[in-house]
Amino acid sequence: MWLWCSLSLALACGGPSSGSPAGDTTAGGEGDTAARPSGPPSSFLGEEVRVVARLDMARVRRSPLATDLGSAIRGTEAWQRLAGTSGVDPVADFDFILLGADALYTDRRVAVLRTPHTEAEIRARVLAMAIDGGAPPAWREVEGFSVVSWPNRGSVPTSLVLTGAHEMVLAPDDSLPRILAVARDHAARRNAPEDCIEPRMVARSPAEVSTVLVDMPLPARAGYPVPPQRTRVELDEGASGATVVAIHAEFSNDPEAEAAHAWATSQARAFASQPLVRMTGMNRPLETAQFALRGPALDIGAAFTVEEMRRLLGLMALQQMAR
């Protein structure tokens, strides 16, 4: 179960992507080179963050899976709570999405969003979401940045801050002072309005589509092996539009990793042999998946063709609808 959770976490949030985030800055002004801060830039994600997801949506838009992935994301409960029926699209309206939270399941999270849209277009989309939520937006200026209460459907009061051209940050209201301090730090470092300074948006490789880091144990379920203490799920774009998935799971000790390895390999074999799986052609990635034990860590690698990813995303969309 923890293996499926890890893969779903990455796939439900992202798909094939390319390049680094783009943008330009309106709020906060451009950096003054005379007063440029020293040392590394600070991050909008605080030290308490234990779950981080990076999604390169600009690359997704150029992928043959753009439509399928958009449908899968729009079908999730999290997206429905965020955007409702406003028409805001996760693929068309964003270039890069960075999410951070202090737990796997929480309404308390920070989202750093890069968008191809101008400030006027951003305000129009916020207006559409606010109307969908039944409350017109009231923009205000705070320390030189435009801020609006977010019409979300979660339990944590949240605000949206326009932190730069083509950039905005969604964060809990009580973290606004820190978000504004980071926005000022980034503004002072920019050479051009469109520069992206957020350090956690730096791609780990030129082929990166999505990365999910979970620095806490995954949920335990009766009948399944002990879940890993830390998990990293990486999606990269391979040759001919293929999606390469790599999962790195760290356990408390060797026996826990060995038990997870035995369970995962047996599950892959069992699913690959099922007639329905073979009929849909999804047996191939299961049969060719690689499982490697490295002490208390388990590495799993698999590659999916474009058609296989379409089928997988379709199954995920159906699972969301069933919920």
Side-chain angles (χ1 to χ4, degrees), residues 124-142:
R125 281 160 174 77
V126 171
L127 176 61
M129 280 187 280
I131 291 172
D132 183 71
W139 289 90
R140 62 192 188 276
E141 291 298 309
V142 183

Side-chain angles (χ1 to χ4, degrees), residues 10-18 56-74 89-92 209-210 235-245 282 303-317:
L11 292 175
C13 296
S17 78
S18 108
D56 187 343
M57 304 308 289
R59 191 167 197 159
V60 170
R61 277 200 301 276
R62 298 190 288 271
S63 159
L65 293 168
T67 301
D68 306 87
L69 186 64
S71 297
I73 297 175
R74 284 192 297 273
D89 186 88
V91 176
V209 172
S210 174
L235 272 67
D236 285 355
E237 190 172 19
S240 304
T243 300
V244 179
V245 180
M282 293 303 293
F304 296 80
T305 66
V306 171
E307 284 307 312
E308 287 165 349
M309 279 300 296
R310 281 205 174 104
R311 294 181 200 123
L312 185 57
L313 289 168
L315 290 171
M316 290 178 62

Side-chain angles (χ1 to χ4, degrees), residues 174-192:
D174 59 11
S175 67
L176 277 181
R178 187 183 63 79
I179 297 299
L180 293 170
V182 174
R184 288 195 301 273
D185 174 78
H186 289 191
R189 296 172 186 270
R190 288 191 177 97
N191 295 313

